[in-house]
């Protein structure tokens, strides 16, 4: 039976037979069968229209004509990997560099946000020579094994917390211990990170990185108090670690006032590593890691080549909406 003739019940039966039950559906009691989308709307097999408020990848809307055209035109020319010399990859890296603070000037292109955070973890460990990671409570950084280990949202229902992972309180000024009426919630929450780092060091642990979504999403769309990241970075740097800003959900202008969500923390704050995904390709499999020259050089010194089969066809100005 052709897919366009298959009933919702038949599609559901096939999914239940062929797709793992761990790949869960939205609204499992009565799932919506989506057959097409345009802009901010999605449509089911009956033609019912839904405003898409929960799908988090179509940065400039579904089937954006510029994105469709750019992908179509590039796919007619070339689709290859990052080990060939080609203009698109350097042109796009240059455009990205113009949106970021000057120290963030080295780029790695990848296929997914999970890959980006995994590479950020590798970069941090090579640069610092340390192993341990500090994360925020309720964080989620991806579905690779290395990232499940640093995602309290996931590891608490699986194998538990590894000894090299240290969890700091979410800087939530609405429900957390330090709220908007606190005289300085940024310092108070940053001091919690300092305490976590000190406790780890007392056990002989060495901090490689602090990972944080610039606006924690799974934790409840939290906006950290201004100045929090700068204070945390100071404590992490003193411990020999680096600050990784996870922009996979919130980057590329999604916060409105700035291109990157970490910029809400003030112009003086610059993370050591920034990770990107989802919105970078409007839902297509593209991701990126941006970092500093010192971090990149430490990784290069290992002699291990890094490449990715991310296609150049995914990197164009029109495809990414800026």
């Amino acid at each position: 039976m052709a897919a366009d003739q298959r009933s919702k019940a038949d599609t559901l039966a096939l999914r239940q037979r062929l797709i793992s039950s761990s790949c869960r559906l939205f609204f499992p009691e009565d799932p919506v069968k989506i057959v097409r989308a345009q802009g901010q709307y999605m449509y089911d097999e009956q033609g019912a229209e839904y405003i898409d408020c929960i799908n988090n990848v179509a940065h400039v809307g579904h089937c954006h004509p510029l994105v469709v055209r750019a992908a179509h035109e590039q796919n007619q020319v070339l689709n290859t990997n990052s080990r060939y010399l080609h203009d698109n990859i350097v042109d796009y890296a240059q455009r990205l560099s113009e949106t970021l603070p000057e120290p963030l000037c080295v780029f790695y292109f990848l296929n997914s946000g999970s890959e980006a955070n995994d590479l950020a973890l590798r970069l941090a460990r090579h640069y610092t020579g340390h192993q341990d990671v500090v994360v925020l409570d309720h964080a989620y950084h991806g579905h690779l094994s290395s990232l499940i280990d640093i995602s309290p949202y996931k590891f608490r229902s699986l194998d538990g917390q590894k000894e090299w992972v240290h969890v700091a309180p979410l800087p939530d000024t609405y429900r957390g211990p330090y709220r908007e009426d606190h005289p300085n919630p940024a310092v108070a929450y940053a001091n919690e990170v300092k305490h976590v780092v000190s406790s780890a060091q007392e056990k002989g642990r060495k901090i490689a990185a602090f990972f944080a979504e610039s606006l924690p999403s799974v934790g409840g769309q939290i906006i950290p108090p201004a100045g929090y990241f700068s204070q945390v970075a100071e404590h992490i740097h003193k411990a020999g670690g680096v600050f990784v800003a996870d922009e996979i959900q919130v980057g590329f202008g999604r916060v409105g006032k700035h291109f990157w969500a970490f910029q809400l923390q003030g112009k003086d704050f610059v993370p050591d590593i920034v990770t990107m995904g989802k919105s970078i390709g409007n839902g297509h499999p593209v991701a990126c890691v941006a970092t500093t020259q010192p971090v990149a050089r430490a990784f290069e010194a290992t002699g291990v080549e890094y490449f990715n089969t991310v296609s150049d066809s995914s990197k164009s100005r029109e495809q990414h909406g800026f």
Side-chain angles (χ1 to χ4, degrees):
M1 179 185 297
D4 60 355
Q5 298 174 343
R6 186 177 294 128
S7 70
K8 176 177 170 178
D10 287 341
T11 301
L12 182 59
L14 275 173
R15 182 177 176 111
Q16 290 172 338
R17 178 164 65 87
L18 298 171
I19 307 300
S20 169
S21 61
S22 63
C23 300
R24 297 177 182 175
L25 285 165
F26 284 131
F27 322 113
E29 297 301 319
D30 185 20
V32 180
K33 181 179 179 181
I34 296 298
V35 297
R36 66 183 183 91
Q38 183 71 45
Q40 70 271 39
Y41 299 107
M42 304 178 82
Y43 301 88
D44 69 13
E45 80 285 3
Q46 301 296 326
E49 183 178 82
Y50 301 85
I51 296 178
D52 183 7
C53 295
I54 57 175
N55 185 16
N56 58 9
V57 295
H59 183 55
V60 292
H62 296 281
C63 303
H64 193 291
L66 292 179
V67 175
V68 172
R69 184 179 70 194
H72 174 67
E73 291 177 353
Q74 184 61 47
N75 283 336
Q76 293 182 96
V77 176
L78 179 67
N79 186 351
T80 187
N81 71 58
S82 61
R83 287 189 289 188
Y84 287 101
L85 184 63
H86 193 271
D87 284 329
N88 281 3
I89 191 168
V90 294
D91 286 345
Y92 190 47
Q94 185 172 13
R95 290 191 190 103
L96 280 176
S97 72
E98 293 167 358
T99 72
L100 289 161
E102 186 175 349
L104 295 164
C105 60
V106 183
F107 299 87
Y108 303 81
F109 289 100
L110 315 93
N111 290 310
S112 71
S114 288
E115 277 195 316
N117 277 339
D118 180 74
L119 178 58
L121 182 58
R122 290 175 62 191
L123 291 170
R125 285 173 167 168
H126 280 294
Y127 176 68
T128 64
H130 301 167
Q131 174 77 9
D132 289 28
V133 176
V134 179
V135 294
L136 295 176
D137 204 0
H138 308 292
Y140 174 64
H141 292 291
H143 60 74
L144 299 181
S145 295
S146 60
L147 305 177
I148 295 295
D149 286 344
I150 64 169
S151 299
Y153 171 66
K154 291 291 185 181
F155 70 59
R156 286 196 169 126
S157 61
L158 294 170
D159 299 328
Q161 185 173 337
K162 300 290 193 296
E163 63 178 356
W164 51 269
V165 178
H166 313 280
V167 180
L170 191 67
D172 184 351
T173 58
Y174 182 69
R175 296 182 181 87
Y178 311 113
R179 303 191 178 185
E180 292 180 351
D181 59 354
H182 188 278
N184 198 330
V187 170
Y189 277 115
N191 282 340
E192 293 287 343
V193 176
K194 181 180 180 180
H195 174 72
V196 167
V197 170
S198 297
S199 296
Q201 290 174 325
E202 289 172 3
K203 299 173 184 176
R205 312 299 307 187
K206 295 182 178 181
I207 305 301
F210 174 83
F211 267 74
E213 292 178 275
S214 298
L215 269 70
S217 54
V218 169
Q221 308 301 329
I222 303 302
I223 302 175
Y228 169 71
F229 280 0
S230 294
Q231 293 287 326
V232 168
E234 183 177 336
H235 300 318
I236 295 298
H237 289 157
K238 283 182 179 178
V242 297
F243 192 111
V244 180
D246 179 341
E247 292 272 338
I248 290 166
Q249 292 270 22
V250 294
F252 291 86
R254 284 184 162 181
V255 297
K257 290 184 178 180
H258 298 282
F259 202 79
W260 304 104
F262 72 78
Q263 293 170 325
L264 293 170
Q265 289 285 307
K267 63 181 180 179
D268 295 330
F269 170 70
V270 179
D272 302 289
I273 302 173
V274 174
T275 59
M276 313 167 200
K278 296 185 189 299
S279 54
I280 187 173
N282 203 45
H284 295 280
V286 190
C288 185
V289 174
T291 191
T292 64
Q293 285 284 1
V295 172
R297 283 196 293 266
F299 190 59
E300 293 160 5
T302 66
V304 177
E305 176 195 10
Y306 182 83
F307 84 99
N308 202 288
T309 49
V310 62
S311 68
D312 289 323
S313 67
S314 296
K315 292 186 283 293
S316 67
R317 179 174 180 176
E318 292 83 1
Q319 184 125 357
H320 298 81
F322 75 94

